[in-house]
Amino acid sequence: MIRVMVVAASSVMRAGLSAVVSSNPQLTVVASASDLDVVSKEIEQLQPDVVLLDLGSNPESIWSKLQLIQEQQIIAIAEDIDGIDLEAAFRLGIQGILSSTSTEAEIIAGVEAVASGLVVLHPDVLQLLPMREKTVPNPVQTLTHREMEVLGMLGYGLGNKAIAKRLQISEHTVKFHVSSIFQKLGVSTRVEAVTAGVRLGLIML
């Protein structure tokens, strides 16, 4: 059973959220309050698993009060997601942010996820997060078929002479291919070449 405390300034919102929580047999409302100022002592006594918090239309006014209930798992319902200071919200311990337009099923799923220690974000919140493009500073150049053969034999620990004999080419040609492999993989030793080959899926273990 997941114990939930509902906090909302609006009595209508409090009743609505409490009804949503109570509709699921795995959740139970242990208390409800109109303001965070009055729940700090109750939280210590009741030890809810999740605090379901309605941010209302002015979430900034709640940030300072969140310090009163540190170390609690909090999922917030926001009317205006675009106006939320995400950095402040995460710093103050909010682990879930849903929209006031979220369905009952979404709210229940969010409460259960936060109770399990997961982070829950409404899709609109993701658009506000800065995304970093994945860049490859030194992209690996494509190895030729012959270089792939040589690299594979390096993986078996064969020396230049043995590789030359198997491929029926000169040792000088093997050295040329090894040098090219080193350059393309950005390595300087055979061990590094084999390691890079395994990491890139060029050598199958």
Side-chain angles (χ1 to χ4, degrees):
M1 184 71 70
I2 298 174
R3 298 161 57 81
V4 182
M5 174 176 283
V6 176
V7 181
S10 165
S11 58
V12 174
M13 180 62 77
R14 263 198 324 277
L17 291 176
S18 296
V20 170
V21 172
S22 300
S23 69
N24 188 290
Q26 300 302 318
L27 311 179
T28 183
V29 178
V30 295
S32 65
S34 60
D35 196 289
L36 288 173
D37 288 336
V38 300
V39 300
S40 56
K41 291 184 178 180
E42 289 187 40
I43 286 179
E44 292 179 5
Q45 295 173 351
L46 298 173
Q47 295 294 310
D49 299 304
V50 177
V51 175
L52 180 56
L53 172 64
D54 174 38
L55 295 178
S57 58
N58 185 25
E60 287 78 9
S61 63
I62 296 179
W63 296 153
S64 60
K65 298 179 182 180
L66 282 173
Q67 297 178 9
L68 300 172
I69 56 172
Q70 290 293 321
E71 299 182 4
Q72 291 295 318
Q73 297 185 115
I74 306 167
I75 181 168
I77 306 293
E79 289 183 19
D80 180 20
I81 287 181
D82 291 341
I84 293 179
D85 184 341
L86 294 180
E87 183 178 349
F90 296 146
R91 186 176 64 250
L92 292 170
I94 290 180
Q95 290 177 258
I97 300 177
L98 294 179
S99 168
S100 56
T101 60
S102 297
T103 65
E104 292 185 10
E106 289 171 340
I107 292 174
I108 290 172
V111 169
E112 291 177 331
V114 169
S116 298
L118 301 177
V119 174
V120 176
L121 298 177
H122 187 273
D124 290 347
V125 177
L126 296 179
Q127 299 178 10
L128 304 178
L129 297 175
M131 298 296 181
R132 295 182 179 178
E133 294 185 2
K134 186 176 181 180
T135 59
V136 181
N138 296 306
V140 175
Q141 299 181 49
T142 304
L143 301 184
T144 65
H145 176 70
R146 179 64 82 186
E147 289 167 349
M148 290 286 291
E149 289 181 320
V150 172
L151 179 60
M153 292 181 186
L154 291 178
Y156 285 109
L158 299 182
N160 289 354
K161 186 174 182 179
I163 294 174
K165 184 176 181 179
R166 286 202 179 188
L167 297 178
Q168 297 183 342
I169 57 178
S170 68
E171 287 187 53
H172 177 76
T173 302
V174 173
K175 290 180 180 179
F176 172 80
H177 287 314
V178 171
S179 177
S180 178
I181 291 170
F182 284 4
Q183 182 180 5
K184 289 182 178 181
L185 296 183
V187 299
S188 57
T189 68
R190 289 174 177 245
V191 173
E192 290 177 346
V194 172
T195 302
V198 171
R199 187 177 66 249
L200 296 170
L202 303 177
I203 297 177
M204 302 304 293
L205 296 177

